[in-house]
Amino acid sequence: MRRMIAVATAAVLAATLAACGGGRVRGSDSDQPAVNASPAAGDTSPAESSGAGTSDSTKTAQPSGTFVYSYHLNVVTDWDPATSYSNEIIAMENIYESLTHYDPATGKVLPGLATRWEESDGGATWTFTLRSDVTFHTGRAMDAQAAKDAIERTIKLKGGPAYIWDSVKSIEAPSATTLVFRLKYPAPLDLISSSAYAAYIYDTKAAGSGDLVDWFNKGQDAGTGPYTVASWTKGADVELRLKAYDKYWGGWKSDNYQQVEFRVTPQVTTAWQLLQSGDVDFVDRLNPQLFAQAQKVAAIQTTTSASFQNLLALYNTADGPMSNVKVRKAIQDAIDTKGLLAALKGADGAASGVVPEGLLGYTDGLQLTQNLEEAKTLLAEAGYGPDGKKLTLTLTYAQGDDDQQLFVTLLTSALSQLGVTLQATPMQWSAQWDQAKSTDTAKRQDIFVMYWYPDYADAYSWFANVFHSADPPYFNLTYLRNAQVDKKIDEIPELTATDKGKAESVYQELNKTLVQDLAVVAPLFVEKYERALAGDVKGYVDNPAYPDVVFVHELTHS
Amino acid sequence: MVTYLLRRIGQAILVVVGVVILTFLVQRVVPGDPAVAWAGPRASAAELARVRTQLGLDQPLPVQLWNYFVGLLHGDLGISVHTRQPVASDLGQALPASLELVGTGMIIAVVVGLPLGLIAARFHRRPADVAVRLGSMLAVSMPVFWLALVLQQVFATALGWFPVAGEYLNSLNQTSPLHVYTNITLIDALFTGNWPIFTSTLEHIVLPALVIAAYPAGVVAQMTRAAVGDELVRDHTRMERALGFPERSIVTRFALRPALNPVVALLALVFAYALVNTFLVESVFNWPGLGTYAVDAIRSTDTPAIAGVTLLIAIVYVVANLAVDLVQAVIDPRVRLS
């Protein structure tokens, strides 16, 4: 009897295991359902291509090799280019393209699917001229009507950062290569069109009569970019594989990469070893120790560049002790940004004002420097100190963020020298944000530490979201309500579209007001990207407007 | 027997229901808005409101709990925040890979631990015994995360004997596509005769499986040593010696079988423990299993996925305990199920 039970148990287990699968093929181009074999065009190799769609017949060589990107998180959360707003940007930017592209080196907007553009009506009308040699991976031609349909669908779905198109009143496609935007108010649409999210042009007819969202969610793409999805296996070591799109308008060279693999590697030590063993070509981040080690290895290249993401300490200007500007200025004086940067060992760069360098609005000369004597005096004037009241401040910051933890440790130590007690609490973002938005103002913190980055290469994002009056507060966690500041912020979109010089001076004025005069924010540092890549990869340039993206088509290899 | 089985299954269901209630409540009492985890840190107020309605977060807590229970009965564990796929389907993909790793680790543990335990018992207080005790103590006390990093650094990076990470060579998906039936790569590759993937998986599994095996091998060796040692001083052993049986037969034939009972009981618990241990090991070796899935879920505050993993581990514990009781009755005639 017992043996029968054992045999029966084994049989049930075997049957259960067998039921787990259905004889599908894993990770190949024919893998279903977690895979795409883009219809028609993507199935032939570049060598078989007639060269149609490429502007230069010498560009139709057969690319070779596989570029392996080691990423520390899962890659794809949302396949829909209209709503995508997460890690998948590292793949999407190789699959989809936008009308324009931002170049941080010059601060200029470069052509993408649009070859040129012009604004009229004081920045309220924008006319883009599109390329005529572009096809979607679905095989359909990309023309002005298709671009109009894509942007209108993105606006309609209101997902991700679709708000970037808020200024758009209507879109017209008077000819196959002309796209006209009529705006509700002047805005820099060339810059907006270069956004890393919500600006992709895609084939809205890819699903035919089917549901396009479902179609995308099967891991299929309808872009115009150099690569198309070959296989997607959620949860696998190599989550995503892209292959070269043979009819890419930009053409191919023999030393371009034919395939791109995204390998999920949560541990930096593992990523480092995979890079050393030649299993991966690019690691998006290492820790400071491993990065220093990588810099000494001849077969590995390293790059360091500033990002557009900075760490801000936002002061509660509405309630509690920080509502007194003298206390805010005293805290500003207590912050040792030099010491912080030294402790971070080059992983982050100095911040000057709330706008990182490389964006319109960057203001030099606003770096914070520690002055404890001045801080003591200001606190005494505000009634705090040995002869006054005891001051206790609350601060919330991101749980698990070592850089923020370091800042908190240094600030706690500096404030203790001033007799100020800092009660710092590490929290998950959702909890930290919830508490900061609490309707009970007593529950809100005195100092809120958070990162901010723009959705497209425009400093307006900081000012409109973080410093403009908002009721109830959303991202404005300084709780600042200042009509003059609001007025200046509201001027920016139109000036950016029509008079960049004037926009720059408004930005500088705002920076000075917020950091020095009102002291509502302490910009602490600008995050740096430290990349490590295989020695034979050529042509890699970090573009902070597209965080963590490697534009693989721009690379070559030996 | 049947009554016993029904009673144990009833108890197991109660335990699982308790775990479900606890995991659900923990999901809801954790500070922060689950809608933010879903919609992203920069979601607009309208988007958050839409997500709250979509996920049913705007309903009263008892209604949410009831819906969760009803969903569970239909195999619906909710949708994962970080993969946007049904949690049940994610677990169905991840669990087989973990079972493959833990199963291999357990086989190594038994194959290594049991003989070592016997040797230690046979040569009680002699150098072999001391060596086994020291070795097993070391295996049990070493942190798995540290051991994983050391093995990876030495045997993969420095010596190049084994691959650094992954389940098998990824290019094989294109040259030798694997037909998946059980989602356990070794089994699928073996039964479909896919030797390139089979051998590649074996190469890749050695290091993580050794790390997983370290703790159970140490425990099995120590437990076998103690249990067999107990048997070797009993009356039946004296009689066997008097009858002239060789010492090797006494140890392996007469002392081992009664000594196996506590070892088997321990194995089930160690198996469930090893499944949790894989969380760190899989993360180091990029093994696409439950551990990697759980670590990703924790990083992204993916409460439905965390709850799903917790529930699954609880079920494994309950089933393992039940299985041990049944197996003990099979291997030891002294055990009565009543």
Side-chain angles (χ1 to χ4, degrees):
Chain A
M1 175 64 183
R2 287 178 200 138
R3 289 181 204 283
M4 280 174 67
I5 290 173
V7 171
T9 309
V12 168
L13 274 173
T16 310
L17 284 174
C20 290
R24 64 189 170 81
V25 179
R26 186 193 288 174
S28 76
D29 292 11
S30 58
D31 191 3
Q32 292 296 335
V35 120
N36 166 63
S38 286
D43 290 344
T44 52
S45 75
E48 296 162 331
S49 160
S50 63
T54 57
S55 51
D56 179 352
S57 61
T58 61
K59 290 182 180 175
T60 54
Q62 165 83 60
S64 58
T66 301
F67 179 81
V68 186
Y69 184 137
S70 166
Y71 192 59
H72 67 288
L73 295 167
N74 284 320
V75 180
V76 182
T77 302
D78 185 355
W79 271 115
D80 191 331
T83 52
S84 158
Y85 196 25
S86 192
N87 305 338
E88 61 271 3
I89 182 181
I90 62 172
M92 297 293 249
E93 285 288 342
N94 285 288
I95 299 169
Y96 293 94
E97 294 172 302
S98 317
L99 297 177
T100 57
H101 194 79
Y102 185 76
D103 178 12
T106 59
K108 286 187 176 158
V109 180
L110 302 178
L113 291 175
T115 53
R116 59 194 171 87
W117 52 92
E118 57 190 25
E119 51 101 357
S120 51
D121 300 337
T125 301
W126 289 77
T127 306
F128 289 78
T129 304
L130 308 189
R131 297 187 68 93
S132 57
D133 55 355
V134 181
T135 55
F136 290 112
H137 301 160
T138 53
R140 202 161 77 91
M142 192 288 300
D143 57 16
Q145 184 60 45
K148 171 182 180 315
D149 292 345
I151 295 171
E152 284 180 344
R153 177 177 178 271
T154 299
I155 293 171
K156 191 179 164 199
L157 289 184
K158 290 183 183 165
Y163 74 88
I164 64 169
W165 301 107
D166 277 356
S167 60
V168 175
K169 187 166 69 184
S170 65
I171 308 174
E172 295 154 22
S175 78
T177 56
T178 310
L179 193 62
V180 182
F181 291 84
R182 302 204 187 279
L183 308 188
K184 297 172 206 159
Y185 49 86
L189 214 68
D190 54 343
L191 203 55
I192 291 169
S193 302
S194 73
S195 171
Y197 303 96
Y200 302 121
I201 304 300
Y202 52 93
D203 184 0
T204 54
K205 295 188 167 55
S209 57
D211 185 87
L212 190 55
V213 176
D214 290 344
W215 189 87
F216 281 128
N217 285 337
K218 284 176 186 158
Q220 304 181 111
D221 78 83
T224 60
Y227 294 94
T228 182
V229 179
S231 67
W232 176 52
T233 314
K234 195 79 206 169
D237 178 27
V238 173
E239 183 186 325
L240 177 64
R241 189 161 57 82
L242 307 180
K243 60 183 177 185
Y245 173 51
D246 60 318
K247 295 191 176 98
Y248 181 54
W249 60 268
W252 292 98
K253 290 181 281 184
S254 58
D255 52 359
N256 278 142
Y257 286 98
Q258 188 179 24
Q259 293 193 98
V260 188
E261 285 183 356
F262 294 92
R263 191 164 180 175
V264 181
T265 315
Q267 295 297 329
V268 286
T269 48
T270 308
W272 167 234
Q273 294 188 45
L274 286 170
L275 182 65
Q276 281 181 294
S277 63
D279 289 330
V280 303
D281 298 291
F282 180 89
V283 177
D284 68 312
R285 67 186 63 184
L286 292 170
N287 60 35
Q289 294 76 22
L290 288 177
F291 189 74
Q293 210 175 321
Q295 286 174 311
K296 294 175 192 154
V297 179
I300 288 169
Q301 310 174 54
T302 55
T303 69
T304 304
S305 56
S307 73
F308 286 164
Q309 173 165 294
N310 58 5
L311 185 68
L312 306 173
L314 305 173
Y315 302 149
N316 185 339
T317 60
D319 302 285
M322 299 289 276
S323 58
N324 183 336
V325 71
K326 286 187 174 167
V327 176
R328 298 203 296 270
K329 286 187 174 176
I331 303 306
Q332 205 86 305
D333 283 330
I335 293 173
D336 179 13
T337 49
K338 250 187 197 167
L340 177 62
L341 291 175
L344 290 167
K345 295 178 181 160
D348 299 291
S352 175
V354 296
V355 182
E357 203 169 354
L359 291 172
L360 181 74
Y362 169 72
T363 310
D364 203 5
L366 291 179
Q367 288 95 341
L368 300 179
T369 47
Q370 192 180 43
N371 186 342
L372 291 179
E373 282 311 309
E374 178 68 18
K376 218 174 267 178
T377 309
L378 284 164
L379 283 176
E381 285 173 17
Y384 298 101
D387 304 324
K389 294 176 283 181
K390 186 171 164 36
L391 179 59
T392 300
L393 298 173
T394 57
L395 177 150
T396 60
Y397 66 104
Q399 197 168 44
D401 187 303
D402 293 343
D403 294 358
Q404 291 192 35
Q405 172 68 56
L406 197 56
F407 160 68
V408 168
T409 305
L410 292 177
L411 183 62
T412 306
S413 160
L415 289 181
S416 71
Q417 293 176 51
L418 301 172
V420 178
T421 306
L422 185 68
Q423 291 174 344
T425 314
M427 301 174 93
Q428 288 284 347
W429 166 255
S430 58
Q432 185 194 11
W433 191 27
D434 253 11
Q435 181 180 302
K437 292 187 294 180
S438 173
T439 47
D440 179 359
T441 54
K443 285 186 180 165
R444 295 176 184 171
Q445 72 299 318
D446 296 312
I447 305 172
F448 188 95
V449 180
M450 73 167 183
Y451 289 107
W452 195 262
Y453 54 90
D455 289 322
Y456 58 96
D458 191 353
Y460 180 63
S461 173
W462 275 270
F463 297 94
N465 290 292
V466 186
F467 302 110
H468 197 286
S469 302
D471 190 21
Y474 205 63
F475 288 118
N476 177 353
L477 303 173
T478 64
Y479 316 107
L480 181 68
R481 284 166 170 274
N482 186 308
Q484 281 178 319
V485 169
D486 289 350
K487 189 168 171 285
K488 290 275 173 209
I489 292 173
D490 293 339
E491 287 172 12
I492 291 173
E494 181 170 354
L495 289 176
T496 310
T498 57
D499 186 349
K500 285 201 166 48
K502 195 149 185 215
E504 176 119 53
S505 65
V506 172
Y507 271 133
Q508 292 188 347
E509 206 178 313
L510 278 170
N511 263 309
K512 193 175 163 301
T513 305
L514 295 168
V515 178
Q516 288 184 338
D517 304 340
L518 298 176
V520 300
V521 57
L524 300 170
F525 59 71
V526 178
E527 208 176 46
K528 274 189 189 170
Y529 294 133
E530 294 184 325
R531 319 290 195 190
L533 55 159
D536 66 337
V537 178
K538 293 172 191 150
Y540 174 71
V541 179
D542 220 322
N543 187 335
Y546 307 91
D548 296 339
V549 173
V550 178
F551 292 95
V552 182
H553 182 258
E554 293 172 6
L555 304 180
T556 56
H557 62 97
S558 47
Chain B
M1 168 72 184
V2 174
T3 318
Y4 172 82
L5 208 58
L6 289 175
R7 200 175 69 231
R8 286 299 307 271
I9 289 171
Q11 286 169 346
I13 290 171
L14 276 181
V15 171
V16 170
V17 168
V19 171
V20 169
I21 294 173
L22 270 178
T23 51
F24 178 82
L25 290 178
V26 167
Q27 283 183 63
R28 292 298 180 267
V29 298
V30 167
D33 184 351
V36 175
W38 179 274
R42 303 269 286 261
S44 65
E47 178 77 355
L48 287 178
R50 190 186 63 75
V51 168
R52 276 187 207 107
T53 309
Q54 183 190 327
L55 301 181
L57 297 168
D58 52 352
Q59 294 177 332
L61 203 62
V63 176
Q64 289 184 44
L65 179 60
W66 174 250
N67 289 342
Y68 188 64
F69 260 117
V70 172
L72 281 182
L73 292 176
H74 292 87
D76 177 9
L77 294 168
I79 303 289
S80 159
V81 170
H82 78 288
T83 69
R84 303 291 162 105
Q85 306 288 324
V87 172
S89 136
D90 284 348
L91 294 178
Q93 293 246 325
L95 182 63
S98 288
L99 289 178
E100 178 181 45
L101 182 57
V102 174
T104 311
M106 293 304 288
I107 290 170
I108 296 173
V110 172
V111 168
V112 173
L114 209 62
L116 286 180
L118 285 175
I119 290 168
R122 165 76 178 78
F123 302 103
H124 189 57
R125 292 195 177 167
R126 282 156 66 180
D129 178 27
V130 175
V132 169
R133 281 162 64 191
L134 277 176
S136 56
M137 207 178 291
L138 205 64
V140 167
S141 54
M142 250 186 305
V144 281
F145 188 71
W146 181 82
L147 184 61
L149 289 174
V150 168
L151 289 191
Q152 190 183 52
Q153 177 68 42
V154 174
F155 294 103
T157 307
L159 297 173
W161 292 356
F162 297 100
V164 174
E167 195 181 13
Y168 56 84
L169 206 58
N170 296 302
S171 57
L172 293 176
N173 277 331
Q174 292 163 69
T175 54
S176 312
L178 178 67
H179 290 265
V180 177
Y181 294 93
T182 66
N183 261 329
I184 298 178
T185 306
L186 278 174
I187 292 178
D188 289 335
L190 184 68
F191 284 107
T192 57
N194 190 330
W195 304 120
I197 286 191
F198 183 74
T199 51
S200 180
T201 308
L202 276 184
E203 282 174 12
H204 281 76
I205 208 169
V206 170
L207 292 182
L210 279 176
V211 178
I212 293 287
Y215 178 83
V219 171
V220 166
Q222 293 209 5
M223 181 56 90
T224 308
R225 175 187 172 276
V228 172
D230 282 351
E231 292 300 323
L232 288 178
V233 294
R234 286 186 193 275
D235 290 346
H236 70 84
T237 308
R238 269 210 299 279
M239 192 180 77
E240 287 145 15
R241 283 193 179 116
L243 288 172
F245 282 100
E247 194 63 17
R248 184 193 291 179
S249 292
I250 292 170
V251 172
T252 56
R253 204 168 141 198
F254 301 113
L256 181 60
R257 187 162 177 181
L260 270 183
N261 214 345
V263 176
V264 169
L266 194 73
L267 268 179
L269 293 177
V270 169
F271 176 83
Y273 178 79
L275 203 58
V276 177
N277 245 349
T278 57
F279 280 34
L280 298 168
V281 180
E282 287 182 6
S283 187
V284 170
F285 288 100
N286 278 11
W287 196 263
L290 207 56
T292 301
Y293 181 72
V295 169
D296 288 343
I298 292 164
R299 278 174 184 226
S300 44
T301 332
D302 186 351
T303 44
I306 296 168
V309 172
T310 310
L311 187 60
L312 185 66
I313 298 285
I315 291 171
V316 169
Y317 262 99
V318 168
V319 171
N321 273 309
L322 190 60
V324 163
D325 288 349
L326 294 176
V327 171
Q328 275 183 323
V330 173
I331 62 173
D332 190 342
R334 294 171 299 180
V335 175
R336 292 279 176 271
L337 298 180
S338 57

